[in-house]
Amino acid sequence: MEKRILIISPGPKYNLEHAFRERCLNLSQSFSGDILTSGPSKEKVIYGNFCVTRTRDPFGNSFFSTISFFWLSIFKVFINRFTDPYDLICTYDPLKTGLIGLIVARLSGTKLVVEVNGDYTNKWNYSEIKSPIKRYFKRKAVLFVEKIVLRNSDGVKLLYHGQVDYFRPLRRPIIEVFPNYVNASRFHNIEHKKEILFVGAPMYVKGLDVLVSAFDLISPHYPDWTLKILGYYPNKSELQALLGARTNVRFHPPVDPDLMPDHIGSCGLFVLPSRTEAMGRVLVESMAAGKPRIGSSVGGIPTVIEDGIDGLLFESENVEDLARKLRMVLDDADLRDRLGMQAVLRYQSDFRPAVYFERLVKFYERVQRRWV
């Protein structure tokens, strides 16, 4: 008998096809069910054996969206309880959707799986909050919710070992560690522009200031190389203050995910200097595109870049170390080619969607069978 799952995914989601279509079609080989999320408008679509429902949340993660999310989850679980009950409730974070999932799971007697896609203990995740008092209490509240959700889950999926050691011991849940799903099949090595590409936001969490400082140290020796920054920065004055009048650094506004293969596929080097990072989706996309990559040695980045084999790692926030690694790559075209070729091989062996879904299905089935 086909197993049914309810997936609660945090929003806002603007493009349901890009966010869920491939995931639904792959999961439909083993499961059926529903996916709940939020976004700018209400929408309901069917992909394979899954119905994706988006609640309206024009302001993004608003209080009213959370309430409507909760009641829709309750409705879905109890309306199906006596006809097509869910075998699992799965959430993509241990915070808002994790708490909703925990409440609904306990009320309905359904097993709960929680994915942890960040390091919520890291202080840099709260750096955008200006008030130190608000920053302190926000972090405390987040960690309190995460601890409750993780300790009462039936299964926990992590991105790297040690990710939730802050909350150990977790005696109840089954814990599995493997990378997230990234459909990078459209990412290819289009060309090698003499362009260092950075993709991400917020600015200081992703370490953009570290990269700009390191680029300043080396750019006089590489006048034909430029630094391209792509991301969502609503505070343009803050970004401008960082970049100043540099002519070899240019900013590109955020693009639709469908256009990202063109940007990554044409760069000569991809750099992600994050201060905190659970995995780095863009590192997997640039891996699939065969690009040489440099990343900071924090969180889950070392699970995506094997230092000296398919990329280079540097000590987080160490401008001089990043500058050294930039020089190594820019000075040696053979090294760039070797790192790029090894990255493609690594993507094919470890990060293909088929590998991810095989692991995920086995994990879901293992949790579902427990205490049956």
Side-chain angles (χ1 to χ4, degrees):
M1 183 177 176
E2 194 174 70
K3 303 299 181 183
R4 284 178 48 78
I5 56 177
L6 171 66
I7 297 174
I8 307 175
S9 176
K13 293 290 190 297
Y14 299 98
N15 186 328
L16 295 185
E17 182 172 1
H18 178 82
F20 298 113
R21 183 177 183 275
E22 292 302 320
R23 177 179 289 270
C24 290
L25 294 180
N26 279 281
L27 284 176
S28 291
Q29 298 177 34
S30 304
F31 303 101
S32 64
D34 295 278
I35 296 180
L36 307 182
T37 190
S38 63
S41 61
K42 288 185 177 180
E43 189 174 355
K44 183 179 289 188
V45 293
I46 304 292
Y47 298 126
N49 295 332
F50 284 82
C51 176
V52 181
T53 302
R54 181 173 66 187
T55 62
R56 185 173 181 272
D57 181 18
F59 304 108
N61 294 313
S62 70
F63 172 77
F64 294 105
S65 164
T66 302
I67 296 300
S68 103
F69 224 50
F70 173 70
W71 285 113
L72 180 59
S73 302
I74 290 282
F75 174 78
K76 283 286 186 183
V77 167
F78 282 95
I79 202 71
N80 289 285
R81 187 171 186 180
F82 301 105
T83 54
D84 292 306
Y86 297 112
D87 297 282
L88 287 177
I89 295 174
C90 309
T91 76
Y92 287 166
D93 74 76
L95 304 178
K96 182 181 79 171
T97 63
L99 187 58
I100 292 172
L102 176 61
I103 295 171
V104 175
R106 292 299 165 260
L107 287 175
S108 62
T110 311
K111 293 185 176 69
L112 174 67
V113 170
V114 176
E115 296 193 15
V116 184
N117 294 314
D119 176 8
Y120 305 107
T121 66
N122 193 292
K123 65 179 182 179
W124 284 103
N125 284 313
Y126 310 94
S127 60
E128 299 295 303
I129 303 173
K130 302 303 181 184
S131 167
I133 296 176
K134 290 182 179 179
R135 193 161 55 240
Y136 173 82
F137 283 106
K138 174 66 178 290
R139 182 174 179 272
K140 286 292 186 182
V142 165
L143 298 186
F144 176 74
V145 171
E146 184 178 13
K147 180 171 69 173
I148 289 176
V149 170
L150 293 182
R151 288 186 175 177
N152 289 279
S153 300
D154 300 289
V156 172
K157 178 194 169 301
L158 305 178
L159 291 171
Y160 59 93
H161 292 283
Q163 188 177 0
V164 295
D165 279 359
Y166 188 87
F167 302 111
R168 296 278 186 168
L170 295 176
R171 295 188 178 89
R172 177 188 175 92
I174 295 172
I175 299 176
E176 293 284 352
V177 182
F178 55 93
N180 268 349
Y181 167 65
V182 179
N183 186 359
S185 59
R186 295 179 58 245
F187 287 79
H188 303 283
N189 196 343
I190 301 171
E191 59 178 313
H192 283 297
K193 290 181 181 177
K194 289 191 173 181
E195 172 186 274
I196 301 169
L197 177 62
F198 165 90
V199 178
M203 181 189 304
Y204 295 108
V205 173
K206 297 298 181 179
L208 177 56
D209 56 314
V210 177
L211 176 56
V212 170
S213 297
F215 186 66
D216 281 345
L217 292 179
I218 68 158
S219 58
H221 307 286
Y222 307 92
D224 48 348
W225 281 82
T226 60
L227 172 60
K228 176 179 169 182
I229 297 161
L230 192 158
Y232 175 63
Y233 293 94
N235 188 343
K236 295 296 190 297
S237 61
E238 186 178 45
L239 179 65
Q240 189 56 50
L242 174 64
L243 301 184
R246 295 175 179 84
T247 58
N248 55 357
V249 180
R250 64 188 184 95
F251 169 71
H252 194 292
V255 299
D256 187 275
D258 288 338
L259 300 178
M260 192 60 75
D262 295 332
H263 292 273
I264 290 180
S266 60
C267 75
L269 170 63
F270 190 90
V271 182
L272 187 65
S274 303
R275 287 179 166 93
T276 175
E277 193 75 56
M279 187 182 83
R281 177 189 183 91
V282 288
L283 287 176
V284 179
E285 293 169 342
S286 54
M287 177 195 298
K291 298 299 176 180
R293 301 166 300 148
I294 299 176
S296 53
S297 55
V298 297
I301 290 180
T303 68
V304 185
I305 294 178
E306 188 175 356
D307 191 30
I309 305 298
D310 53 41
L312 298 178
L313 296 173
F314 75 97
E315 182 185 0
S316 180
E317 299 189 76
N318 189 327
V319 173
E320 290 75 17
D321 191 25
L322 176 54
R324 282 193 294 270
K325 300 301 168 61
L326 289 170
R327 289 191 191 97
M328 286 177 59
V329 176
L330 299 190
D331 280 340
D332 192 339
D334 290 338
L335 175 62
R336 295 198 296 271
D337 290 341
R338 178 172 63 81
L339 294 177
M341 288 188 292
Q342 289 297 320
V344 173
L345 294 175
R346 176 88 186 281
Y347 173 78
Q348 292 296 331
S349 64
D350 296 349
F351 291 89
R352 286 182 299 112
V355 176
Y356 166 82
F357 283 108
E358 181 181 356
R359 292 172 174 173
L360 186 69
V361 167
K362 288 180 179 178
F363 175 46
Y364 282 174
E365 290 176 342
R366 185 182 171 202
V367 175
Q368 195 276 326
R369 288 195 303 267
R370 189 179 189 183
W371 302 317
V372 172

PDB file of all heavy atoms in Angstrom, residues 2 61 64 79 112 114 117 129 133 161 177 181-182 205 217 222 228 233 257 287 297 308-309 326 336 346 350 358 363:
ATOM      1  N   GLU A   2       0.544   2.187  -0.849  1.00  0.00           N
ATOM      2  CA  GLU A   2       1.334   3.407  -0.999  1.00  0.00           C
ATOM      3  C   GLU A   2       1.289   4.265   0.262  1.00  0.00           C
ATOM      4  O   GLU A   2       0.232   4.513   0.832  1.00  0.00           O
ATOM      5  CB  GLU A   2       0.773   4.214  -2.171  1.00  0.00           C
ATOM      6  CG  GLU A   2       1.685   5.326  -2.647  1.00  0.00           C
ATOM      7  CD  GLU A   2       1.127   5.973  -3.901  1.00  0.00           C
ATOM      8  OE1 GLU A   2       0.099   6.661  -3.784  1.00  0.00           O
ATOM      9  OE2 GLU A   2       1.697   5.767  -4.992  1.00  0.00           O
ATOM     10  N   ASN A  61       6.031  35.485   5.464  1.00  0.00           N
ATOM     11  CA  ASN A  61       6.184  34.993   6.849  1.00  0.00           C
ATOM     12  C   ASN A  61       5.462  35.853   7.876  1.00  0.00           C
ATOM     13  O   ASN A  61       5.962  36.095   8.971  1.00  0.00           O
ATOM     14  CB  ASN A  61       7.666  34.893   7.227  1.00  0.00           C
ATOM     15  CG  ASN A  61       8.383  33.831   6.419  1.00  0.00           C
ATOM     16  OD1 ASN A  61       7.888  32.724   6.279  1.00  0.00           O
ATOM     17  ND2 ASN A  61       9.521  34.191   5.864  1.00  0.00           N
ATOM     18  N   PHE A  64      -0.266  36.245  10.382  1.00  0.00           N
ATOM     19  CA  PHE A  64      -1.530  35.685   9.891  1.00  0.00           C
ATOM     20  C   PHE A  64      -1.279  34.496   8.962  1.00  0.00           C
ATOM     21  O   PHE A  64      -2.045  33.548   8.924  1.00  0.00           O
ATOM     22  CB  PHE A  64      -2.333  36.767   9.174  1.00  0.00           C
ATOM     23  CG  PHE A  64      -2.785  37.866  10.094  1.00  0.00           C
ATOM     24  CD1 PHE A  64      -2.175  39.105  10.072  1.00  0.00           C
ATOM     25  CD2 PHE A  64      -3.802  37.646  11.010  1.00  0.00           C
ATOM     26  CE1 PHE A  64      -2.578  40.112  10.929  1.00  0.00           C
ATOM     27  CE2 PHE A  64      -4.209  38.645  11.877  1.00  0.00           C
ATOM     28  CZ  PHE A  64      -3.594  39.878  11.839  1.00  0.00           C
ATOM     29  N   ILE A  79      -9.018  15.810   7.962  1.00  0.00           N
ATOM     30  CA  ILE A  79      -9.962  15.494   6.895  1.00  0.00           C
ATOM     31  C   ILE A  79      -9.590  14.169   6.222  1.00  0.00           C
ATOM     32  O   ILE A  79     -10.418  13.466   5.655  1.00  0.00           O
ATOM     33  CB  ILE A  79     -10.024  16.632   5.845  1.00  0.00           C
ATOM     34  CG1 ILE A  79     -11.353  16.577   5.062  1.00  0.00           C
ATOM     35  CG2 ILE A  79      -8.870  16.542   4.873  1.00  0.00           C
ATOM     36  CD1 ILE A  79     -12.550  16.961   5.848  1.00  0.00           C
ATOM     37  N   LEU A 112       6.729  12.282  12.863  1.00  0.00           N
ATOM     38  CA  LEU A 112       7.227  13.561  12.389  1.00  0.00           C
ATOM     39  C   LEU A 112       8.695  13.457  11.980  1.00  0.00           C
ATOM     40  O   LEU A 112       9.526  12.953  12.736  1.00  0.00           O
ATOM     41  CB  LEU A 112       7.094  14.629  13.481  1.00  0.00           C
ATOM     42  CG  LEU A 112       7.710  16.001  13.181  1.00  0.00           C
ATOM     43  CD1 LEU A 112       6.948  16.695  12.047  1.00  0.00           C
ATOM     44  CD2 LEU A 112       7.712  16.864  14.437  1.00  0.00           C
ATOM     45  N   VAL A 114      11.836  15.978  10.644  1.00  0.00           N
ATOM     46  CA  VAL A 114      12.246  17.387  10.570  1.00  0.00           C
ATOM     47  C   VAL A 114      13.600  17.481   9.883  1.00  0.00           C
ATOM     48  O   VAL A 114      14.539  16.761  10.245  1.00  0.00           O
ATOM     49  CB  VAL A 114      12.327  18.017  11.980  1.00  0.00           C
ATOM     50  CG1 VAL A 114      12.857  19.446  11.902  1.00  0.00           C
ATOM     51  CG2 VAL A 114      10.955  17.998  12.648  1.00  0.00           C
ATOM     52  N   ASN A 117      18.199  22.719   8.048  1.00  0.00           N
ATOM     53  CA  ASN A 117      18.908  23.263   6.894  1.00  0.00           C
ATOM     54  C   ASN A 117      19.707  24.513   7.228  1.00  0.00           C
ATOM     55  O   ASN A 117      19.987  25.339   6.345  1.00  0.00           O
ATOM     56  CB  ASN A 117      17.912  23.551   5.769  1.00  0.00           C
ATOM     57  CG  ASN A 117      17.293  22.271   5.236  1.00  0.00           C
ATOM     58  OD1 ASN A 117      17.984  21.300   4.992  1.00  0.00           O
ATOM     59  ND2 ASN A 117      15.975  22.254   5.092  1.00  0.00           N
ATOM     60  N   ILE A 129      19.594  42.023  12.939  1.00  0.00           N
ATOM     61  CA  ILE A 129      18.813  42.668  14.002  1.00  0.00           C
ATOM     62  C   ILE A 129      19.715  43.693  14.691  1.00  0.00           C
ATOM     63  O   ILE A 129      20.731  43.326  15.284  1.00  0.00           O
ATOM     64  CB  ILE A 129      18.295  41.631  15.016  1.00  0.00           C
ATOM     65  CG1 ILE A 129      17.451  40.569  14.302  1.00  0.00           C
ATOM     66  CG2 ILE A 129      17.480  42.306  16.108  1.00  0.00           C
ATOM     67  CD1 ILE A 129      17.043  39.425  15.202  1.00  0.00           C
ATOM     68  N   ILE A 133      19.543  43.669  22.391  1.00  0.00           N
ATOM     69  CA  ILE A 133      18.571  43.010  23.274  1.00  0.00           C
ATOM     70  C   ILE A 133      17.638  42.129  22.448  1.00  0.00           C
ATOM     71  O   ILE A 133      17.392  40.961  22.780  1.00  0.00           O
ATOM     72  CB  ILE A 133      17.771  44.054  24.080  1.00  0.00           C
ATOM     73  CG1 ILE A 133      18.711  44.820  25.021  1.00  0.00           C
ATOM     74  CG2 ILE A 133      16.666  43.371  24.879  1.00  0.00           C
ATOM     75  CD1 ILE A 133      18.039  45.929  25.782  1.00  0.00           C
ATOM     76  N   HIS A 161      27.627  16.240   9.949  1.00  0.00           N
ATOM     77  CA  HIS A 161      27.789  15.718  11.305  1.00  0.00           C
ATOM     78  C   HIS A 161      28.168  16.866  12.245  1.00  0.00           C
ATOM     79  O   HIS A 161      28.973  17.733  11.914  1.00  0.00           O
ATOM     80  CB  HIS A 161      28.863  14.633  11.327  1.00  0.00           C
ATOM     81  CG  HIS A 161      28.478  13.390  10.597  1.00  0.00           C
ATOM     82  ND1 HIS A 161      27.612  12.456  11.131  1.00  0.00           N
ATOM     83  CD2 HIS A 161      28.807  12.941   9.352  1.00  0.00           C
ATOM     84  CE1 HIS A 161      27.451  11.469  10.265  1.00  0.00           C
ATOM     85  NE2 HIS A 161      28.152  11.738   9.179  1.00  0.00           N
ATOM     86  N   VAL A 177      22.258  11.783   7.940  1.00  0.00           N
ATOM     87  CA  VAL A 177      23.040  12.916   7.456  1.00  0.00           C
ATOM     88  C   VAL A 177      23.328  12.722   5.971  1.00  0.00           C
ATOM     89  O   VAL A 177      24.016  11.770   5.583  1.00  0.00           O
ATOM     90  CB  VAL A 177      24.372  13.055   8.222  1.00  0.00           C
ATOM     91  CG1 VAL A 177      25.153  14.268   7.731  1.00  0.00           C
ATOM     92  CG2 VAL A 177      24.123  13.146   9.723  1.00  0.00           C
ATOM     93  N   TYR A 181      18.532  18.135  -1.720  1.00  0.00           N
ATOM     94  CA  TYR A 181      18.216  18.005  -3.138  1.00  0.00           C
ATOM     95  C   TYR A 181      18.555  19.293  -3.873  1.00  0.00           C
ATOM     96  O   TYR A 181      18.106  20.381  -3.493  1.00  0.00           O
ATOM     97  CB  TYR A 181      16.731  17.694  -3.296  1.00  0.00           C
ATOM     98  CG  TYR A 181      16.192  17.839  -4.694  1.00  0.00           C
ATOM     99  CD1 TYR A 181      16.636  16.994  -5.709  1.00  0.00           C
ATOM    100  CD2 TYR A 181      15.237  18.804  -5.002  1.00  0.00           C
ATOM    101  CE1 TYR A 181      16.132  17.113  -6.997  1.00  0.00           C
ATOM    102  CE2 TYR A 181      14.730  18.923  -6.285  1.00  0.00           C
ATOM    103  CZ  TYR A 181      15.186  18.075  -7.277  1.00  0.00           C
ATOM    104  OH  TYR A 181      14.689  18.204  -8.549  1.00  0.00           O
ATOM    105  N   VAL A 182      19.372  19.167  -4.899  1.00  0.00           N
ATOM    106  CA  VAL A 182      19.661  20.287  -5.795  1.00  0.00           C
ATOM    107  C   VAL A 182      19.590  19.745  -7.215  1.00  0.00           C
ATOM    108  O   VAL A 182      20.420  18.924  -7.618  1.00  0.00           O
ATOM    109  CB  VAL A 182      21.057  20.897  -5.539  1.00  0.00           C
ATOM    110  CG1 VAL A 182      21.314  22.050  -6.511  1.00  0.00           C
ATOM    111  CG2 VAL A 182      21.180  21.384  -4.106  1.00  0.00           C
ATOM    112  N   VAL A 205      26.414  37.822   6.572  1.00  0.00           N
ATOM    113  CA  VAL A 205      26.268  36.385   6.808  1.00  0.00           C
ATOM    114  C   VAL A 205      27.020  35.604   5.734  1.00  0.00           C
ATOM    115  O   VAL A 205      27.707  34.614   6.015  1.00  0.00           O
ATOM    116  CB  VAL A 205      24.781  35.977   6.822  1.00  0.00           C
ATOM    117  CG1 VAL A 205      24.638  34.455   6.886  1.00  0.00           C
ATOM    118  CG2 VAL A 205      24.060  36.615   7.997  1.00  0.00           C
ATOM    119  N   LEU A 217      43.142  43.052  -2.242  1.00  0.00           N
ATOM    120  CA  LEU A 217      44.548  42.714  -2.063  1.00  0.00           C
ATOM    121  C   LEU A 217      45.188  42.164  -3.337  1.00  0.00           C
ATOM    122  O   LEU A 217      46.385  42.370  -3.581  1.00  0.00           O
ATOM    123  CB  LEU A 217      44.707  41.683  -0.938  1.00  0.00           C
ATOM    124  CG  LEU A 217      44.381  42.149   0.484  1.00  0.00           C
ATOM    125  CD1 LEU A 217      44.566  40.992   1.463  1.00  0.00           C
ATOM    126  CD2 LEU A 217      45.238  43.331   0.898  1.00  0.00           C
ATOM    127  N   TYR A 222      45.835  41.379 -11.104  1.00  0.00           N
ATOM    128  CA  TYR A 222      44.966  40.688 -12.057  1.00  0.00           C
ATOM    129  C   TYR A 222      43.961  41.693 -12.637  1.00  0.00           C
ATOM    130  O   TYR A 222      42.751  41.579 -12.422  1.00  0.00           O
ATOM    131  CB  TYR A 222      44.234  39.522 -11.389  1.00  0.00           C
ATOM    132  CG  TYR A 222      45.153  38.567 -10.675  1.00  0.00           C
ATOM    133  CD1 TYR A 222      45.446  38.732  -9.321  1.00  0.00           C
ATOM    134  CD2 TYR A 222      45.766  37.518 -11.362  1.00  0.00           C
ATOM    135  CE1 TYR A 222      46.312  37.866  -8.667  1.00  0.00           C
ATOM    136  CE2 TYR A 222      46.629  36.636 -10.711  1.00  0.00           C
ATOM    137  CZ  TYR A 222      46.899  36.823  -9.364  1.00  0.00           C
ATOM    138  OH  TYR A 222      47.759  35.971  -8.716  1.00  0.00           O
ATOM    139  N   LYS A 228      31.982  39.823  -9.638  1.00  0.00           N
ATOM    140  CA  LYS A 228      30.551  40.034  -9.889  1.00  0.00           C
ATOM    141  C   LYS A 228      29.752  39.568  -8.677  1.00  0.00           C
ATOM    142  O   LYS A 228      29.929  38.433  -8.214  1.00  0.00           O
ATOM    143  CB  LYS A 228      30.119  39.264 -11.139  1.00  0.00           C
ATOM    144  CG  LYS A 228      28.629  39.325 -11.443  1.00  0.00           C
ATOM    145  CD  LYS A 228      28.346  38.548 -12.710  1.00  0.00           C
ATOM    146  CE  LYS A 228      26.878  38.317 -12.956  1.00  0.00           C
ATOM    147  NZ  LYS A 228      26.639  37.505 -14.171  1.00  0.00           N
ATOM    148  N   TYR A 233      19.661  42.658  -2.322  1.00  0.00           N
ATOM    149  CA  TYR A 233      20.135  43.620  -1.323  1.00  0.00           C
ATOM    150  C   TYR A 233      19.202  44.837  -1.312  1.00  0.00           C
ATOM    151  O   TYR A 233      19.428  45.805  -2.047  1.00  0.00           O
ATOM    152  CB  TYR A 233      21.570  44.062  -1.630  1.00  0.00           C
ATOM    153  CG  TYR A 233      22.563  42.948  -1.480  1.00  0.00           C
ATOM    154  CD1 TYR A 233      22.941  42.177  -2.573  1.00  0.00           C
ATOM    155  CD2 TYR A 233      23.107  42.641  -0.240  1.00  0.00           C
ATOM    156  CE1 TYR A 233      23.843  41.135  -2.431  1.00  0.00           C
ATOM    157  CE2 TYR A 233      24.013  41.600  -0.087  1.00  0.00           C
ATOM    158  CZ  TYR A 233      24.370  40.852  -1.191  1.00  0.00           C
ATOM    159  OH  TYR A 233      25.258  39.824  -1.045  1.00  0.00           O
ATOM    160  N   PRO A 257      15.382  31.815 -10.802  1.00  0.00           N
ATOM    161  CA  PRO A 257      16.225  30.606 -10.763  1.00  0.00           C
ATOM    162  C   PRO A 257      16.506  30.008 -12.132  1.00  0.00           C
ATOM    163  O   PRO A 257      17.558  29.402 -12.346  1.00  0.00           O
ATOM    164  CB  PRO A 257      15.406  29.648  -9.893  1.00  0.00           C
ATOM    165  CG  PRO A 257      14.606  30.544  -8.998  1.00  0.00           C
ATOM    166  CD  PRO A 257      14.268  31.740  -9.835  1.00  0.00           C
ATOM    167  N   MET A 287      29.379  23.311  -8.825  1.00  0.00           N
ATOM    168  CA  MET A 287      30.031  22.009  -8.936  1.00  0.00           C
ATOM    169  C   MET A 287      29.576  21.302 -10.209  1.00  0.00           C
ATOM    170  O   MET A 287      30.400  20.799 -10.992  1.00  0.00           O
ATOM    171  CB  MET A 287      29.693  21.161  -7.708  1.00  0.00           C
ATOM    172  CG  MET A 287      30.252  19.746  -7.730  1.00  0.00           C
ATOM    173  SD  MET A 287      29.471  18.666  -6.499  1.00  0.00           S
ATOM    174  CE  MET A 287      29.903  19.480  -4.980  1.00  0.00           C
ATOM    175  N   SER A 297      35.693  27.412   5.411  1.00  0.00           N
ATOM    176  CA  SER A 297      35.641  26.103   6.083  1.00  0.00           C
ATOM    177  C   SER A 297      34.726  26.157   7.299  1.00  0.00           C
ATOM    178  O   SER A 297      35.152  25.954   8.435  1.00  0.00           O
ATOM    179  CB  SER A 297      37.052  25.664   6.497  1.00  0.00           C
ATOM    180  OG  SER A 297      37.661  26.662   7.300  1.00  0.00           O
ATOM    181  N   GLY A 308      41.466  21.000  -2.008  1.00  0.00           N
ATOM    182  CA  GLY A 308      42.569  20.580  -2.854  1.00  0.00           C
ATOM    183  C   GLY A 308      42.212  19.551  -3.899  1.00  0.00           C
ATOM    184  O   GLY A 308      43.025  19.242  -4.773  1.00  0.00           O
ATOM    185  N   ILE A 309      40.989  19.007  -3.830  1.00  0.00           N
ATOM    186  CA  ILE A 309      40.557  17.985  -4.789  1.00  0.00           C
ATOM    187  C   ILE A 309      39.564  18.571  -5.792  1.00  0.00           C
ATOM    188  O   ILE A 309      39.814  18.578  -6.997  1.00  0.00           O
ATOM    189  CB  ILE A 309      39.931  16.768  -4.074  1.00  0.00           C
ATOM    190  CG1 ILE A 309      40.914  16.195  -3.038  1.00  0.00           C
ATOM    191  CG2 ILE A 309      39.512  15.711  -5.094  1.00  0.00           C
ATOM    192  CD1 ILE A 309      42.194  15.681  -3.646  1.00  0.00           C
ATOM    193  N   LEU A 326      42.775  32.776  -3.710  1.00  0.00           N
ATOM    194  CA  LEU A 326      42.429  33.425  -4.978  1.00  0.00           C
ATOM    195  C   LEU A 326      43.637  33.473  -5.906  1.00  0.00           C
ATOM    196  O   LEU A 326      43.532  33.177  -7.107  1.00  0.00           O
ATOM    197  CB  LEU A 326      41.895  34.836  -4.726  1.00  0.00           C
ATOM    198  CG  LEU A 326      40.513  34.954  -4.089  1.00  0.00           C
ATOM    199  CD1 LEU A 326      40.229  36.392  -3.686  1.00  0.00           C
ATOM    200  CD2 LEU A 326      39.423  34.466  -5.052  1.00  0.00           C
ATOM    201  N   ARG A 336      42.645  25.411 -12.286  1.00  0.00           N
ATOM    202  CA  ARG A 336      41.215  25.720 -12.474  1.00  0.00           C
ATOM    203  C   ARG A 336      40.520  24.588 -13.225  1.00  0.00           C
ATOM    204  O   ARG A 336      39.414  24.169 -12.863  1.00  0.00           O
ATOM    205  CB  ARG A 336      41.048  27.048 -13.217  1.00  0.00           C
ATOM    206  CG  ARG A 336      41.556  28.253 -12.456  1.00  0.00           C
ATOM    207  CD  ARG A 336      40.985  29.555 -13.006  1.00  0.00           C
ATOM    208  NE  ARG A 336      41.404  29.829 -14.383  1.00  0.00           N
ATOM    209  CZ  ARG A 336      42.497  30.490 -14.724  1.00  0.00           C
ATOM    210  NH1 ARG A 336      43.333  30.911 -13.766  1.00  0.00           N
ATOM    211  NH2 ARG A 336      42.786  30.747 -15.995  1.00  0.00           N
ATOM    212  N   ARG A 346      32.445  14.677  -8.822  1.00  0.00           N
ATOM    213  CA  ARG A 346      31.873  14.614  -7.471  1.00  0.00           C
ATOM    214  C   ARG A 346      30.360  14.805  -7.516  1.00  0.00           C
ATOM    215  O   ARG A 346      29.610  14.122  -6.798  1.00  0.00           O
ATOM    216  CB  ARG A 346      32.522  15.696  -6.605  1.00  0.00           C
ATOM    217  CG  ARG A 346      31.956  15.801  -5.183  1.00  0.00           C
ATOM    218  CD  ARG A 346      32.667  14.889  -4.212  1.00  0.00           C
ATOM    219  NE  ARG A 346      32.031  14.910  -2.912  1.00  0.00           N
ATOM    220  CZ  ARG A 346      32.198  15.883  -2.004  1.00  0.00           C
ATOM    221  NH1 ARG A 346      33.005  16.912  -2.254  1.00  0.00           N
ATOM    222  NH2 ARG A 346      31.601  15.812  -0.836  1.00  0.00           N
ATOM    223  N   ASP A 350      27.863  11.955  -5.960  1.00  0.00           N
ATOM    224  CA  ASP A 350      27.305  12.218  -4.623  1.00  0.00           C
ATOM    225  C   ASP A 350      26.072  13.116  -4.581  1.00  0.00           C
ATOM    226  O   ASP A 350      25.339  13.093  -3.581  1.00  0.00           O
ATOM    227  CB  ASP A 350      28.375  12.863  -3.728  1.00  0.00           C
ATOM    228  CG  ASP A 350      29.557  11.946  -3.481  1.00  0.00           C
ATOM    229  OD1 ASP A 350      29.469  10.752  -3.808  1.00  0.00           O
ATOM    230  OD2 ASP A 350      30.587  12.422  -2.966  1.00  0.00           O
ATOM    231  N   GLU A 358      16.997   8.408  -3.392  1.00  0.00           N
ATOM    232  CA  GLU A 358      17.192   7.053  -2.872  1.00  0.00           C
ATOM    233  C   GLU A 358      17.431   7.100  -1.369  1.00  0.00           C
ATOM    234  O   GLU A 358      16.859   6.309  -0.612  1.00  0.00           O
ATOM    235  CB  GLU A 358      18.368   6.389  -3.585  1.00  0.00           C
ATOM    236  CG  GLU A 358      18.624   4.965  -3.122  1.00  0.00           C
ATOM    237  CD  GLU A 358      19.801   4.320  -3.823  1.00  0.00           C
ATOM    238  OE1 GLU A 358      20.380   4.954  -4.735  1.00  0.00           O
ATOM    239  OE2 GLU A 358      20.161   3.185  -3.445  1.00  0.00           O
ATOM    240  N   PHE A 363      15.182   6.766   4.237  1.00  0.00           N
ATOM    241  CA  PHE A 363      15.055   7.436   5.537  1.00  0.00           C
ATOM    242  C   PHE A 363      13.594   7.517   5.966  1.00  0.00           C
ATOM    243  O   PHE A 363      13.246   7.153   7.101  1.00  0.00           O
ATOM    244  CB  PHE A 363      15.667   8.834   5.435  1.00  0.00           C
ATOM    245  CG  PHE A 363      15.499   9.681   6.663  1.00  0.00           C
ATOM    246  CD1 PHE A 363      15.752   9.179   7.931  1.00  0.00           C
ATOM    247  CD2 PHE A 363      15.091  11.011   6.543  1.00  0.00           C
ATOM    248  CE1 PHE A 363      15.605   9.971   9.066  1.00  0.00           C
ATOM    249  CE2 PHE A 363      14.941  11.808   7.670  1.00  0.00           C
ATOM    250  CZ  PHE A 363      15.190  11.292   8.925  1.00  0.00           C
TER     251      PHE A 363
END
